Amino acid sequence: MVRRWNMRFIQAIVLCIFMSFSLSISLNMTTYRSQSKEMINPIDGEPSSFSIKPTLGLYENITTNIGDIIVDGNKSYTIVDCEFNQVGNITVKENATLIMHNVKFNQTGPDRVGIMLYDQARLIVKDSTLIISQNFDSNIYVRDESTLNITNSNIINSLFGICIWVEDYNTVHIQNSNMIGGNAGGFQRHCVIMAMNYTVVHVQNTTLDRIAGWNDATIFVQNCTLRESMKIFNYVKVYVSHSTVDYVWASQNCTIYFQHSIVNSSNPLEFAVRVIHQSSIWFKHSSVRGDILAVNNAKVWLINTSVGNVSLSDEAAAFAGWELPLFGEVYVPYTMAPIVESAAIVTTVAVAIIIIFVMVKKFLRRSTGVEVGNQ
């Protein structure tokens, strides 16, 4: 009797679990259908917000929304494991969050479309492909203390370029990603990050065309390829490491630090680096495969760095430096660098000869002393 009662009890528990699981699945399906319907026919004045979590395989779920998506008022909008076709603009504002995870996202529209973040909004893109292909440059605006985070993703415009506009105290993190533009009209279109007005931008392990900065922005670039240029103006600071840039321009009290990086200079008729109006640029263990122009109180520092020619005018200055084991970093005016290098070579050779001579002399003395003692 006890065993039979135990078996019935176990069967009842299994039946309850199965009914609960079935009920949860039906609720999820009902919620998904009603929310999808709301997205396809959005009500005017009401922001759309929902989460897609299909039980089918990757991208078997394809969802289409016609009309602008607005996420606001601390709401969260999540798109997961699907292909999502958005016809219209996307606006995230007022401390709201938009998340795309493992998504193929296609954004189109009858007119120019884009993504706008402002008023402390957040956009998080992870393991996804974001396609905004149109006959215009596709823009992502990040404004008013908002945050953009892109990881392991591709941003694509197969026709024109892509621009991420970051202004007014924002933060952007982009890592392990690519920005890919088209070649409409036979011209390669650019993929650009524009940072301005006290924003902070971190770019890591990413390929794009250009980074530009204005007005006290701070930019970190690590293990990146900039197919074109880096241009900064007005009190911007940039930290570059283990990266490749084709062309550099710094003007109006800006500072750039290069470490273990390369400036390629694909155009031999242009300067590879221009430093203007009291700006400073530091190269450490790097290579500038072209010439540098420094104008109007600009400063150039070259520490264990190879460079073509350095042209100075209007009280600009350049310094060459070396890292010495006992003395740390030692600098001299760039024009004196060849003399110092030659003197260092001569001194090193002379010291080596003296050391060898002294050692040989001591060896001979010891050899002679041993022979005399044996006799």
Side-chain angles (χ1 to χ4, degrees), residues 118-122 142-147 167-171:
Y118 59 94
D119 291 340
Q120 300 180 347
R122 289 170 297 277
V142 187
R143 296 172 175 170
D144 304 327
E145 302 182 34
S146 296
T147 301
E167 55 181 310
D168 299 329
Y169 301 91
N170 304 284
T171 303

Side-chain angles (χ1 to χ4, degrees), residues 339-358:
I339 300 173
V340 173
E341 288 179 346
S342 299
I345 293 172
V346 172
T347 302
T348 302
V349 172
V351 170
I353 292 173
I354 292 172
I355 292 173
I356 293 172
F357 177 77
V358 171

Side-chain angles (χ1 to χ4, degrees), residues 15-27:
L15 181 60
C16 290
I17 293 173
F18 178 77
M19 292 179 64
S20 299
F21 180 74
S22 301
L23 180 60
S24 65
I25 291 177
S26 63
L27 288 175

Side-chain angles (χ1 to χ4, degrees), residues 218-250:
T218 304
I219 303 170
F220 298 88
V221 180
Q222 182 180 2
N223 295 319
C224 292
T225 299
L226 272 64
R227 293 182 290 254
E228 194 202 48
S229 65
M230 175 180 293
K231 297 183 178 181
I232 60 173
F233 308 88
N234 197 21
Y235 295 97
V236 174
K237 288 186 177 181
V238 181
Y239 302 85
V240 182
S241 65
H242 299 89
S243 298
T244 300
V245 184
D246 192 71
Y247 172 75
V248 179
W249 184 310

Side-chain angles (χ1 to χ4, degrees), residues 5-64:
W5 184 86
N6 288 338
M7 289 298 297
R8 291 179 179 178
F9 180 74
I10 293 172
Q11 291 175 357
I13 292 176
V14 172
L15 181 60
C16 290
I17 293 173
F18 178 77
M19 292 179 64
S20 299
F21 180 74
S22 301
L23 180 60
S24 65
I25 291 177
S26 63
L27 288 175
N28 286 338
M29 292 298 291
T30 303
T31 303
Y32 170 70
R33 291 194 187 99
S34 63
Q35 288 169 339
S36 298
K37 184 177 181 181
E38 179 184 351
M39 288 302 302
I40 295 174
N41 300 291
I43 301 174
D44 293 339
E46 294 186 6
S48 301
S49 178
F50 71 103
S51 177
I52 300 174
K53 296 182 180 179
T55 58
L56 301 177
L58 182 62
Y59 298 155
E60 291 184 12
N61 175 31
I62 300 177
T63 300
T64 299

